[in-house]
Amino acid sequence: MSPVKKRKITALAGGVGASKLLLGLYEVMEPAALSIIVNTGDDIELHGLKISPDLDIVTYTLAGIVDPAKGWGIRGETFHALKRLAGYGRPNWFNLGDRDLATHIHRSALLAEGKTLSQAAESIRIALGVKARILPMSNDPVPTVIESNEGPMHFQKYLVKRRAEPTVKNIRFAGAGSARPAPGVLEAISEAGRIIICPSNPLISIGPILAIPLVREQLRARKRDVLAVCPLVGGKSLKGPSDKMLAQQGHEATALGVAKLYADFTGTFVIDPVDRTQAAAISALGMKVAIVPTVMKTRSQKRNLARALLEL
Ligand code: FO1
């Protein structure tokens, strides 16, 4: 492998869970050598604006402006515009802050001018001074639809408005089968020395990216160099409802259960020491297993995991 290729790292990411590791990577490697392919299945249109939560979470985190307590939105936000919107009878269950709204207005204006989501993401990350490449998985809409006991609902409605309470019967990525990867996505996978699957929800954060056929195919072609970090530790998700959703979908809510979903394209599966008893069963799926602390509460834990992944 050429030294340039070896230096390049590509990550597949959802939002809050992924951003912890991405921040670690951003701080321990040359940031410009990092490319991040981001889930857009969570995107939603509200108040006539295109909102791309995972793109924004990743961008705000790397720009150092994310709200550290929530992991999404901008630090020190105010919500005057949302209150006024509610006064007009508009829905206010999705908390859009005043400064965050500027991002959505800018993105929506660019799209209305005929620019792509990739171009909008590029404009936002440059303006916020982020040096890593941030690529939406696709410029085609691939909305995640939760088929629940209360009927089909948009993913954000399930997660935020209904607080992940409905039972998930099925998860659909509408249009994924014919969606094209956004410009740069396939190259980012083929040209990287390592491809890291971040510890995001395998079903609704990494799942939509994998549902684009050319992306999964390209990952399979790079299997040896794909590392996946397990988002469950001791059968519990580090962030969000992954464990509950896996169980409702008939998967084991364990490291092994996640490994089974990733076995066709992952060369090395990274688990926390807590799950070491599952290493043999995961190896039997045809993957190497790396045992590394994956809980990232502090900045040094984020950097340590990032360094460990680069050194594996
Ligand atoms: N998550 C919430 O739990 N409640 C919210 O009101 C909310 C608003 C929001 C606004 C902008 C944004 O970029 C993200 C926001 N999120 C909110 C996070 C988001 O719903 C999810 O965490 C991601 O889509 C899953 O990665």
Side-chain angles (χ1 to χ4, degrees), residues 5 10 12 37 181-182 184-192 194-195 197 209-226 264-267:
K5 179 163 179 173
T10 291
L12 268 63
I37 301 169
V185 165
L186 295 181
E187 295 79 357
I189 298 172
S190 65
E191 289 170 6
R194 258 157 220 224
I195 301 108
I197 314 292
I209 310 178
L210 301 174
I212 301 173
L214 288 174
V215 173
R216 193 163 193 139
E217 202 177 290
Q218 187 79 301
L219 286 169
R220 283 196 189 121
R222 297 296 319 276
K223 178 174 160 100
R224 211 175 63 100
D225 298 309
V226 176
D264 61 310
F265 62 83
T266 297

PDB file of all heavy atoms in Angstrom, residues 5 10 12 37 181-182 184-192 194-195 197 209-226 264-267:
ATOM      1  N   LYS A   5      -1.887   6.349   0.563  1.00  0.00           N
ATOM      2  CA  LYS A   5      -3.100   5.572   0.810  1.00  0.00           C
ATOM      3  C   LYS A   5      -3.156   5.145   2.281  1.00  0.00           C
ATOM      4  O   LYS A   5      -4.200   5.186   2.914  1.00  0.00           O
ATOM      5  CB  LYS A   5      -3.128   4.364  -0.123  1.00  0.00           C
ATOM      6  CG  LYS A   5      -4.349   3.495   0.076  1.00  0.00           C
ATOM      7  CD  LYS A   5      -4.582   2.575  -1.096  1.00  0.00           C
ATOM      8  CE  LYS A   5      -5.799   1.702  -0.842  1.00  0.00           C
ATOM      9  NZ  LYS A   5      -6.204   0.910  -1.972  1.00  0.00           N
ATOM     10  N   THR A  10     -11.015   6.552   6.219  1.00  0.00           N
ATOM     11  CA  THR A  10     -12.412   6.882   5.924  1.00  0.00           C
ATOM     12  C   THR A  10     -13.285   6.278   7.013  1.00  0.00           C
ATOM     13  O   THR A  10     -13.094   5.122   7.396  1.00  0.00           O
ATOM     14  CB  THR A  10     -12.804   6.355   4.525  1.00  0.00           C
ATOM     15  OG1 THR A  10     -12.092   7.138   3.560  1.00  0.00           O
ATOM     16  CG2 THR A  10     -14.309   6.486   4.263  1.00  0.00           C
ATOM     17  N   LEU A  12     -17.339   5.638   8.482  1.00  0.00           N
ATOM     18  CA  LEU A  12     -18.790   5.655   8.234  1.00  0.00           C
ATOM     19  C   LEU A  12     -19.448   6.047   9.552  1.00  0.00           C
ATOM     20  O   LEU A  12     -19.130   5.452  10.596  1.00  0.00           O
ATOM     21  CB  LEU A  12     -19.294   4.266   7.808  1.00  0.00           C
ATOM     22  CG  LEU A  12     -19.346   3.975   6.299  1.00  0.00           C
ATOM     23  CD1 LEU A  12     -17.947   4.028   5.706  1.00  0.00           C
ATOM     24  CD2 LEU A  12     -19.976   2.623   6.018  1.00  0.00           C
ATOM     25  N   ILE A  37     -18.093   9.522   5.830  1.00  0.00           N
ATOM     26  CA  ILE A  37     -19.320   9.287   5.057  1.00  0.00           C
ATOM     27  C   ILE A  37     -20.472   9.242   6.066  1.00  0.00           C
ATOM     28  O   ILE A  37     -20.468   8.421   6.988  1.00  0.00           O
ATOM     29  CB  ILE A  37     -19.224   7.966   4.275  1.00  0.00           C
ATOM     30  CG1 ILE A  37     -18.025   8.013   3.317  1.00  0.00           C
ATOM     31  CG2 ILE A  37     -20.527   7.675   3.526  1.00  0.00           C
ATOM     32  CD1 ILE A  37     -17.678   6.672   2.684  1.00  0.00           C
ATOM     33  N   PRO A 181     -24.340   6.601  -4.560  1.00  0.00           N
ATOM     34  CA  PRO A 181     -23.468   7.201  -3.540  1.00  0.00           C
ATOM     35  C   PRO A 181     -23.132   8.638  -3.970  1.00  0.00           C
ATOM     36  O   PRO A 181     -23.014   8.913  -5.172  1.00  0.00           O
ATOM     37  CB  PRO A 181     -22.207   6.328  -3.581  1.00  0.00           C
ATOM     38  CG  PRO A 181     -22.612   5.084  -4.300  1.00  0.00           C
ATOM     39  CD  PRO A 181     -23.732   5.429  -5.229  1.00  0.00           C
ATOM     40  N   ALA A 182     -23.000   9.529  -3.003  1.00  0.00           N
ATOM     41  CA  ALA A 182     -22.649  10.924  -3.340  1.00  0.00           C
ATOM     42  C   ALA A 182     -21.239  10.958  -3.922  1.00  0.00           C
ATOM     43  O   ALA A 182     -20.434  10.048  -3.671  1.00  0.00           O
ATOM     44  CB  ALA A 182     -22.727  11.784  -2.079  1.00  0.00           C
ATOM     45  N   GLY A 184     -17.514  11.196  -4.409  1.00  0.00           N
ATOM     46  CA  GLY A 184     -16.403  11.034  -3.459  1.00  0.00           C
ATOM     47  C   GLY A 184     -16.563   9.867  -2.506  1.00  0.00           C
ATOM     48  O   GLY A 184     -15.579   9.431  -1.902  1.00  0.00           O
ATOM     49  N   VAL A 185     -17.788   9.322  -2.376  1.00  0.00           N
ATOM     50  CA  VAL A 185     -18.008   8.264  -1.381  1.00  0.00           C
ATOM     51  C   VAL A 185     -17.259   6.972  -1.769  1.00  0.00           C
ATOM     52  O   VAL A 185     -16.501   6.419  -0.960  1.00  0.00           O
ATOM     53  CB  VAL A 185     -19.526   7.998  -1.190  1.00  0.00           C
ATOM     54  CG1 VAL A 185     -19.784   6.692  -0.461  1.00  0.00           C
ATOM     55  CG2 VAL A 185     -20.168   9.162  -0.433  1.00  0.00           C
ATOM     56  N   LEU A 186     -17.450   6.514  -2.979  1.00  0.00           N
ATOM     57  CA  LEU A 186     -16.802   5.245  -3.360  1.00  0.00           C
ATOM     58  C   LEU A 186     -15.284   5.403  -3.383  1.00  0.00           C
ATOM     59  O   LEU A 186     -14.553   4.507  -2.944  1.00  0.00           O
ATOM     60  CB  LEU A 186     -17.329   4.764  -4.724  1.00  0.00           C
ATOM     61  CG  LEU A 186     -18.818   4.395  -4.759  1.00  0.00           C
ATOM     62  CD1 LEU A 186     -19.223   3.922  -6.145  1.00  0.00           C
ATOM     63  CD2 LEU A 186     -19.158   3.325  -3.715  1.00  0.00           C
ATOM     64  N   GLU A 187     -14.816   6.565  -3.852  1.00  0.00           N
ATOM     65  CA  GLU A 187     -13.362   6.817  -3.881  1.00  0.00           C
ATOM     66  C   GLU A 187     -12.814   6.847  -2.449  1.00  0.00           C
ATOM     67  O   GLU A 187     -11.730   6.344  -2.182  1.00  0.00           O
ATOM     68  CB  GLU A 187     -13.049   8.156  -4.561  1.00  0.00           C
ATOM     69  CG  GLU A 187     -13.405   8.220  -6.032  1.00  0.00           C
ATOM     70  CD  GLU A 187     -14.900   8.446  -6.298  1.00  0.00           C
ATOM     71  OE1 GLU A 187     -15.701   8.500  -5.336  1.00  0.00           O
ATOM     72  OE2 GLU A 187     -15.257   8.543  -7.490  1.00  0.00           O
ATOM     73  N   ALA A 188     -13.577   7.450  -1.531  1.00  0.00           N
ATOM     74  CA  ALA A 188     -13.107   7.526  -0.133  1.00  0.00           C
ATOM     75  C   ALA A 188     -12.928   6.120   0.432  1.00  0.00           C
ATOM     76  O   ALA A 188     -12.024   5.878   1.232  1.00  0.00           O
ATOM     77  CB  ALA A 188     -14.083   8.332   0.723  1.00  0.00           C
ATOM     78  N   ILE A 189     -13.769   5.189   0.008  1.00  0.00           N
ATOM     79  CA  ILE A 189     -13.629   3.809   0.501  1.00  0.00           C
ATOM     80  C   ILE A 189     -12.465   3.116  -0.216  1.00  0.00           C
ATOM     81  O   ILE A 189     -11.637   2.457   0.416  1.00  0.00           O
ATOM     82  CB  ILE A 189     -14.945   3.020   0.328  1.00  0.00           C
ATOM     83  CG1 ILE A 189     -16.067   3.676   1.155  1.00  0.00           C
ATOM     84  CG2 ILE A 189     -14.773   1.554   0.739  1.00  0.00           C
ATOM     85  CD1 ILE A 189     -17.450   3.109   0.928  1.00  0.00           C
ATOM     86  N   SER A 190     -12.379   3.316  -1.525  1.00  0.00           N
ATOM     87  CA  SER A 190     -11.330   2.575  -2.261  1.00  0.00           C
ATOM     88  C   SER A 190      -9.940   3.147  -1.996  1.00  0.00           C
ATOM     89  O   SER A 190      -8.956   2.423  -2.060  1.00  0.00           O
ATOM     90  CB  SER A 190     -11.641   2.537  -3.762  1.00  0.00           C
ATOM     91  OG  SER A 190     -11.582   3.835  -4.285  1.00  0.00           O
ATOM     92  N   GLU A 191      -9.847   4.432  -1.668  1.00  0.00           N
ATOM     93  CA  GLU A 191      -8.520   5.058  -1.543  1.00  0.00           C
ATOM     94  C   GLU A 191      -7.981   5.091  -0.112  1.00  0.00           C
ATOM     95  O   GLU A 191      -6.854   5.522   0.108  1.00  0.00           O
ATOM     96  CB  GLU A 191      -8.577   6.500  -2.077  1.00  0.00           C
ATOM     97  CG  GLU A 191      -8.723   6.543  -3.592  1.00  0.00           C
ATOM     98  CD  GLU A 191      -9.018   7.937  -4.115  1.00  0.00           C
ATOM     99  OE1 GLU A 191      -9.005   8.899  -3.323  1.00  0.00           O
ATOM    100  OE2 GLU A 191      -9.277   8.041  -5.323  1.00  0.00           O
ATOM    101  N   ALA A 192      -8.782   4.671   0.869  1.00  0.00           N
ATOM    102  CA  ALA A 192      -8.323   4.776   2.265  1.00  0.00           C
ATOM    103  C   ALA A 192      -7.453   3.577   2.650  1.00  0.00           C
ATOM    104  O   ALA A 192      -7.651   2.468   2.148  1.00  0.00           O
ATOM    105  CB  ALA A 192      -9.524   4.856   3.199  1.00  0.00           C
ATOM    106  N   ARG A 194      -7.470   2.561   5.775  1.00  0.00           N
ATOM    107  CA  ARG A 194      -8.388   1.901   6.700  1.00  0.00           C
ATOM    108  C   ARG A 194      -9.764   2.514   6.597  1.00  0.00           C
ATOM    109  O   ARG A 194      -9.889   3.736   6.420  1.00  0.00           O
ATOM    110  CB  ARG A 194      -7.936   2.151   8.133  1.00  0.00           C
ATOM    111  CG  ARG A 194      -7.240   0.989   8.727  1.00  0.00           C
ATOM    112  CD  ARG A 194      -6.362   1.453   9.832  1.00  0.00           C
ATOM    113  NE  ARG A 194      -5.142   0.668   9.731  1.00  0.00           N
ATOM    114  CZ  ARG A 194      -4.527   0.130  10.754  1.00  0.00           C
ATOM    115  NH1 ARG A 194      -4.985   0.320  11.966  1.00  0.00           N
ATOM    116  NH2 ARG A 194      -3.447  -0.573  10.587  1.00  0.00           N
ATOM    117  N   ILE A 195     -10.753   1.681   6.740  1.00  0.00           N
ATOM    118  CA  ILE A 195     -12.136   2.171   6.763  1.00  0.00           C
ATOM    119  C   ILE A 195     -12.684   1.803   8.142  1.00  0.00           C
ATOM    120  O   ILE A 195     -12.642   0.630   8.533  1.00  0.00           O
ATOM    121  CB  ILE A 195     -12.974   1.540   5.640  1.00  0.00           C
ATOM    122  CG1 ILE A 195     -12.345   1.866   4.266  1.00  0.00           C
ATOM    123  CG2 ILE A 195     -14.419   2.037   5.675  1.00  0.00           C
ATOM    124  CD1 ILE A 195     -11.687   0.736   3.600  1.00  0.00           C
ATOM    125  N   ILE A 197     -15.827   1.715  10.762  1.00  0.00           N
ATOM    126  CA  ILE A 197     -17.272   1.836  10.987  1.00  0.00           C
ATOM    127  C   ILE A 197     -17.418   2.328  12.433  1.00  0.00           C
ATOM    128  O   ILE A 197     -17.042   1.622  13.377  1.00  0.00           O
ATOM    129  CB  ILE A 197     -18.002   0.471  10.819  1.00  0.00           C
ATOM    130  CG1 ILE A 197     -17.542  -0.275   9.544  1.00  0.00           C
ATOM    131  CG2 ILE A 197     -19.520   0.668  10.864  1.00  0.00           C
ATOM    132  CD1 ILE A 197     -17.922   0.336   8.240  1.00  0.00           C
ATOM    133  N   ILE A 209     -26.533   3.638   5.242  1.00  0.00           N
ATOM    134  CA  ILE A 209     -25.357   3.784   4.357  1.00  0.00           C
ATOM    135  C   ILE A 209     -25.116   2.448   3.639  1.00  0.00           C
ATOM    136  O   ILE A 209     -24.869   2.405   2.432  1.00  0.00           O
ATOM    137  CB  ILE A 209     -24.092   4.206   5.167  1.00  0.00           C
ATOM    138  CG1 ILE A 209     -24.385   5.416   6.067  1.00  0.00           C
ATOM    139  CG2 ILE A 209     -22.930   4.474   4.228  1.00  0.00           C
ATOM    140  CD1 ILE A 209     -23.205   5.865   6.941  1.00  0.00           C
ATOM    141  N   LEU A 210     -25.234   1.360   4.403  1.00  0.00           N
ATOM    142  CA  LEU A 210     -25.011   0.018   3.839  1.00  0.00           C
ATOM    143  C   LEU A 210     -26.100  -0.374   2.844  1.00  0.00           C
ATOM    144  O   LEU A 210     -25.895  -1.245   1.995  1.00  0.00           O
ATOM    145  CB  LEU A 210     -24.976  -1.033   4.957  1.00  0.00           C
ATOM    146  CG  LEU A 210     -23.916  -0.859   6.032  1.00  0.00           C
ATOM    147  CD1 LEU A 210     -24.106  -1.898   7.132  1.00  0.00           C
ATOM    148  CD2 LEU A 210     -22.517  -0.969   5.425  1.00  0.00           C
ATOM    149  N   ALA A 211     -27.274   0.270   2.980  1.00  0.00           N
ATOM    150  CA  ALA A 211     -28.401  -0.086   2.108  1.00  0.00           C
ATOM    151  C   ALA A 211     -28.200   0.426   0.679  1.00  0.00           C
ATOM    152  O   ALA A 211     -28.918   0.009  -0.232  1.00  0.00           O
ATOM    153  CB  ALA A 211     -29.698   0.474   2.691  1.00  0.00           C
ATOM    154  N   ILE A 212     -27.231   1.299   0.478  1.00  0.00           N
ATOM    155  CA  ILE A 212     -26.919   1.752  -0.893  1.00  0.00           C
ATOM    156  C   ILE A 212     -26.025   0.671  -1.505  1.00  0.00           C
ATOM    157  O   ILE A 212     -24.897   0.453  -1.054  1.00  0.00           O
ATOM    158  CB  ILE A 212     -26.211   3.129  -0.864  1.00  0.00           C
ATOM    159  CG1 ILE A 212     -27.130   4.147  -0.174  1.00  0.00           C
ATOM    160  CG2 ILE A 212     -25.827   3.568  -2.270  1.00  0.00           C
ATOM    161  CD1 ILE A 212     -26.498   5.489   0.060  1.00  0.00           C
ATOM    162  N   PRO A 213     -26.545  -0.059  -2.492  1.00  0.00           N
ATOM    163  CA  PRO A 213     -25.853  -1.271  -2.935  1.00  0.00           C
ATOM    164  C   PRO A 213     -24.376  -1.076  -3.299  1.00  0.00           C
ATOM    165  O   PRO A 213     -23.534  -1.876  -2.905  1.00  0.00           O
ATOM    166  CB  PRO A 213     -26.672  -1.722  -4.155  1.00  0.00           C
ATOM    167  CG  PRO A 213     -28.039  -1.123  -3.925  1.00  0.00           C
ATOM    168  CD  PRO A 213     -27.808   0.166  -3.201  1.00  0.00           C
ATOM    169  N   LEU A 214     -24.036   0.015  -3.991  1.00  0.00           N
ATOM    170  CA  LEU A 214     -22.641   0.194  -4.413  1.00  0.00           C
ATOM    171  C   LEU A 214     -21.713   0.426  -3.223  1.00  0.00           C
ATOM    172  O   LEU A 214     -20.527   0.097  -3.282  1.00  0.00           O
ATOM    173  CB  LEU A 214     -22.528   1.365  -5.395  1.00  0.00           C
ATOM    174  CG  LEU A 214     -23.085   1.116  -6.795  1.00  0.00           C
ATOM    175  CD1 LEU A 214     -23.052   2.408  -7.614  1.00  0.00           C
ATOM    176  CD2 LEU A 214     -22.285   0.027  -7.508  1.00  0.00           C
ATOM    177  N   VAL A 215     -22.253   0.972  -2.133  1.00  0.00           N
ATOM    178  CA  VAL A 215     -21.409   1.234  -0.951  1.00  0.00           C
ATOM    179  C   VAL A 215     -21.049  -0.095  -0.284  1.00  0.00           C
ATOM    180  O   VAL A 215     -19.881  -0.354   0.021  1.00  0.00           O
ATOM    181  CB  VAL A 215     -22.115   2.190   0.040  1.00  0.00           C
ATOM    182  CG1 VAL A 215     -21.325   2.324   1.327  1.00  0.00           C
ATOM    183  CG2 VAL A 215     -22.327   3.556  -0.598  1.00  0.00           C
ATOM    184  N   ARG A 216     -22.058  -0.941  -0.075  1.00  0.00           N
ATOM    185  CA  ARG A 216     -21.780  -2.226   0.586  1.00  0.00           C
ATOM    186  C   ARG A 216     -20.818  -3.062  -0.265  1.00  0.00           C
ATOM    187  O   ARG A 216     -19.892  -3.695   0.259  1.00  0.00           O
ATOM    188  CB  ARG A 216     -23.084  -2.986   0.839  1.00  0.00           C
ATOM    189  CG  ARG A 216     -22.891  -4.152   1.780  1.00  0.00           C
ATOM    190  CD  ARG A 216     -24.190  -4.658   2.372  1.00  0.00           C
ATOM    191  NE  ARG A 216     -23.911  -5.549   3.478  1.00  0.00           N
ATOM    192  CZ  ARG A 216     -24.586  -5.575   4.620  1.00  0.00           C
ATOM    193  NH1 ARG A 216     -25.567  -4.750   4.835  1.00  0.00           N
ATOM    194  NH2 ARG A 216     -24.264  -6.435   5.560  1.00  0.00           N
ATOM    195  N   GLU A 217     -21.045  -3.018  -1.580  1.00  0.00           N
ATOM    196  CA  GLU A 217     -20.172  -3.773  -2.506  1.00  0.00           C
ATOM    197  C   GLU A 217     -18.720  -3.289  -2.393  1.00  0.00           C
ATOM    198  O   GLU A 217     -17.793  -4.095  -2.322  1.00  0.00           O
ATOM    199  CB  GLU A 217     -20.699  -3.489  -3.915  1.00  0.00           C
ATOM    200  CG  GLU A 217     -20.344  -4.491  -4.972  1.00  0.00           C
ATOM    201  CD  GLU A 217     -21.034  -4.074  -6.277  1.00  0.00           C
ATOM    202  OE1 GLU A 217     -22.285  -4.191  -6.345  1.00  0.00           O
ATOM    203  OE2 GLU A 217     -20.336  -3.591  -7.169  1.00  0.00           O
ATOM    204  N   GLN A 218     -18.554  -1.981  -2.345  1.00  0.00           N
ATOM    205  CA  GLN A 218     -17.201  -1.416  -2.247  1.00  0.00           C
ATOM    206  C   GLN A 218     -16.544  -1.775  -0.917  1.00  0.00           C
ATOM    207  O   GLN A 218     -15.354  -2.040  -0.844  1.00  0.00           O
ATOM    208  CB  GLN A 218     -17.296   0.115  -2.403  1.00  0.00           C
ATOM    209  CG  GLN A 218     -15.980   0.820  -2.485  1.00  0.00           C
ATOM    210  CD  GLN A 218     -15.392   0.689  -3.892  1.00  0.00           C
ATOM    211  OE1 GLN A 218     -15.160  -0.409  -4.374  1.00  0.00           O
ATOM    212  NE2 GLN A 218     -15.160   1.805  -4.528  1.00  0.00           N
ATOM    213  N   LEU A 219     -17.351  -1.801   0.160  1.00  0.00           N
ATOM    214  CA  LEU A 219     -16.813  -2.191   1.468  1.00  0.00           C
ATOM    215  C   LEU A 219     -16.374  -3.659   1.440  1.00  0.00           C
ATOM    216  O   LEU A 219     -15.320  -4.011   1.981  1.00  0.00           O
ATOM    217  CB  LEU A 219     -17.857  -1.990   2.568  1.00  0.00           C
ATOM    218  CG  LEU A 219     -18.137  -0.546   2.994  1.00  0.00           C
ATOM    219  CD1 LEU A 219     -19.356  -0.489   3.889  1.00  0.00           C
ATOM    220  CD2 LEU A 219     -16.925   0.071   3.711  1.00  0.00           C
ATOM    221  N   ARG A 220     -17.173  -4.495   0.803  1.00  0.00           N
ATOM    222  CA  ARG A 220     -16.808  -5.918   0.716  1.00  0.00           C
ATOM    223  C   ARG A 220     -15.469  -6.084   0.005  1.00  0.00           C
ATOM    224  O   ARG A 220     -14.652  -6.910   0.400  1.00  0.00           O
ATOM    225  CB  ARG A 220     -17.882  -6.692  -0.069  1.00  0.00           C
ATOM    226  CG  ARG A 220     -19.115  -6.969   0.741  1.00  0.00           C
ATOM    227  CD  ARG A 220     -19.940  -8.065   0.057  1.00  0.00           C
ATOM    228  NE  ARG A 220     -21.209  -8.197   0.709  1.00  0.00           N
ATOM    229  CZ  ARG A 220     -22.398  -8.031   0.117  1.00  0.00           C
ATOM    230  NH1 ARG A 220     -22.473  -7.757  -1.168  1.00  0.00           N
ATOM    231  NH2 ARG A 220     -23.501  -8.170   0.793  1.00  0.00           N
ATOM    232  N   ALA A 221     -15.263  -5.270  -1.026  1.00  0.00           N
ATOM    233  CA  ALA A 221     -14.007  -5.349  -1.786  1.00  0.00           C
ATOM    234  C   ALA A 221     -12.815  -4.930  -0.919  1.00  0.00           C
ATOM    235  O   ALA A 221     -11.679  -5.281  -1.217  1.00  0.00           O
ATOM    236  CB  ALA A 221     -14.100  -4.470  -3.032  1.00  0.00           C
ATOM    237  N   ARG A 222     -13.064  -4.171   0.163  1.00  0.00           N
ATOM    238  CA  ARG A 222     -11.993  -3.691   1.042  1.00  0.00           C
ATOM    239  C   ARG A 222     -12.012  -4.390   2.411  1.00  0.00           C
ATOM    240  O   ARG A 222     -11.411  -3.887   3.368  1.00  0.00           O
ATOM    241  CB  ARG A 222     -12.131  -2.163   1.259  1.00  0.00           C
ATOM    242  CG  ARG A 222     -11.980  -1.293   0.032  1.00  0.00           C
ATOM    243  CD  ARG A 222     -10.601  -1.334  -0.611  1.00  0.00           C
ATOM    244  NE  ARG A 222      -9.476  -1.342   0.306  1.00  0.00           N
ATOM    245  CZ  ARG A 222      -8.936  -0.257   0.866  1.00  0.00           C
ATOM    246  NH1 ARG A 222      -9.428   0.937   0.578  1.00  0.00           N
ATOM    247  NH2 ARG A 222      -7.899  -0.352   1.675  1.00  0.00           N
ATOM    248  N   LYS A 223     -12.725  -5.509   2.498  1.00  0.00           N
ATOM    249  CA  LYS A 223     -12.981  -6.186   3.782  1.00  0.00           C
ATOM    250  C   LYS A 223     -11.760  -6.242   4.706  1.00  0.00           C
ATOM    251  O   LYS A 223     -11.848  -5.949   5.893  1.00  0.00           O
ATOM    252  CB  LYS A 223     -13.533  -7.601   3.515  1.00  0.00           C
ATOM    253  CG  LYS A 223     -13.797  -8.417   4.777  1.00  0.00           C
ATOM    254  CD  LYS A 223     -14.484  -9.748   4.439  1.00  0.00           C
ATOM    255  CE  LYS A 223     -14.321 -10.749   5.542  1.00  0.00           C
ATOM    256  NZ  LYS A 223     -15.408 -10.942   6.451  1.00  0.00           N
ATOM    257  N   ARG A 224     -10.621  -6.594   4.160  1.00  0.00           N
ATOM    258  CA  ARG A 224      -9.412  -6.761   4.974  1.00  0.00           C
ATOM    259  C   ARG A 224      -9.091  -5.485   5.785  1.00  0.00           C
ATOM    260  O   ARG A 224      -8.571  -5.535   6.891  1.00  0.00           O
ATOM    261  CB  ARG A 224      -8.251  -7.071   4.040  1.00  0.00           C
ATOM    262  CG  ARG A 224      -7.169  -7.942   4.623  1.00  0.00           C
ATOM    263  CD  ARG A 224      -6.165  -8.265   3.543  1.00  0.00           C
ATOM    264  NE  ARG A 224      -5.503  -7.037   3.068  1.00  0.00           N
ATOM    265  CZ  ARG A 224      -4.294  -6.649   3.451  1.00  0.00           C
ATOM    266  NH1 ARG A 224      -3.599  -7.383   4.283  1.00  0.00           N
ATOM    267  NH2 ARG A 224      -3.759  -5.536   2.983  1.00  0.00           N
ATOM    268  N   ASP A 225      -9.389  -4.345   5.193  1.00  0.00           N
ATOM    269  CA  ASP A 225      -9.023  -3.060   5.817  1.00  0.00           C
ATOM    270  C   ASP A 225     -10.194  -2.374   6.521  1.00  0.00           C
ATOM    271  O   ASP A 225     -10.097  -1.209   6.888  1.00  0.00           O
ATOM    272  CB  ASP A 225      -8.445  -2.118   4.749  1.00  0.00           C
ATOM    273  CG  ASP A 225      -7.179  -2.702   4.136  1.00  0.00           C
ATOM    274  OD1 ASP A 225      -6.279  -3.083   4.898  1.00  0.00           O
ATOM    275  OD2 ASP A 225      -7.120  -2.810   2.895  1.00  0.00           O
ATOM    276  N   VAL A 226     -11.311  -3.095   6.657  1.00  0.00           N
ATOM    277  CA  VAL A 226     -12.466  -2.491   7.349  1.00  0.00           C
ATOM    278  C   VAL A 226     -12.448  -2.889   8.825  1.00  0.00           C
ATOM    279  O   VAL A 226     -12.363  -4.077   9.158  1.00  0.00           O
ATOM    280  CB  VAL A 226     -13.811  -2.930   6.707  1.00  0.00           C
ATOM    281  CG1 VAL A 226     -14.997  -2.370   7.512  1.00  0.00           C
ATOM    282  CG2 VAL A 226     -13.900  -2.473   5.254  1.00  0.00           C
ATOM    283  N   ASP A 264     -19.970  -9.693   6.507  1.00  0.00           N
ATOM    284  CA  ASP A 264     -19.600  -9.818   5.082  1.00  0.00           C
ATOM    285  C   ASP A 264     -18.605  -8.757   4.624  1.00  0.00           C
ATOM    286  O   ASP A 264     -17.967  -8.921   3.594  1.00  0.00           O
ATOM    287  CB  ASP A 264     -20.862  -9.805   4.186  1.00  0.00           C
ATOM    288  CG  ASP A 264     -21.648  -8.509   4.305  1.00  0.00           C
ATOM    289  OD1 ASP A 264     -21.928  -8.096   5.443  1.00  0.00           O
ATOM    290  OD2 ASP A 264     -21.982  -7.903   3.267  1.00  0.00           O
ATOM    291  N   PHE A 265     -18.472  -7.644   5.363  1.00  0.00           N
ATOM    292  CA  PHE A 265     -17.566  -6.589   4.873  1.00  0.00           C
ATOM    293  C   PHE A 265     -16.549  -6.133   5.919  1.00  0.00           C
ATOM    294  O   PHE A 265     -15.814  -5.179   5.683  1.00  0.00           O
ATOM    295  CB  PHE A 265     -18.384  -5.386   4.372  1.00  0.00           C
ATOM    296  CG  PHE A 265     -19.218  -4.740   5.448  1.00  0.00           C
ATOM    297  CD1 PHE A 265     -18.661  -3.820   6.310  1.00  0.00           C
ATOM    298  CD2 PHE A 265     -20.552  -5.082   5.603  1.00  0.00           C
ATOM    299  CE1 PHE A 265     -19.423  -3.243   7.316  1.00  0.00           C
ATOM    300  CE2 PHE A 265     -21.318  -4.506   6.605  1.00  0.00           C
ATOM    301  CZ  PHE A 265     -20.749  -3.588   7.469  1.00  0.00           C
ATOM    302  N   THR A 266     -16.521  -6.769   7.084  1.00  0.00           N
ATOM    303  CA  THR A 266     -15.612  -6.311   8.154  1.00  0.00           C
ATOM    304  C   THR A 266     -14.444  -7.279   8.343  1.00  0.00           C
ATOM    305  O   THR A 266     -14.658  -8.481   8.500  1.00  0.00           O
ATOM    306  CB  THR A 266     -16.399  -6.147   9.476  1.00  0.00           C
ATOM    307  OG1 THR A 266     -17.379  -5.138   9.266  1.00  0.00           O
ATOM    308  CG2 THR A 266     -15.505  -5.743  10.626  1.00  0.00           C
ATOM    309  N   GLY A 267     -13.241  -6.739   8.346  1.00  0.00           N
ATOM    310  CA  GLY A 267     -12.042  -7.546   8.556  1.00  0.00           C
ATOM    311  C   GLY A 267     -11.711  -7.686  10.029  1.00  0.00           C
ATOM    312  O   GLY A 267     -11.272  -8.743  10.476  1.00  0.00           O
TER     313      GLY A 267
END
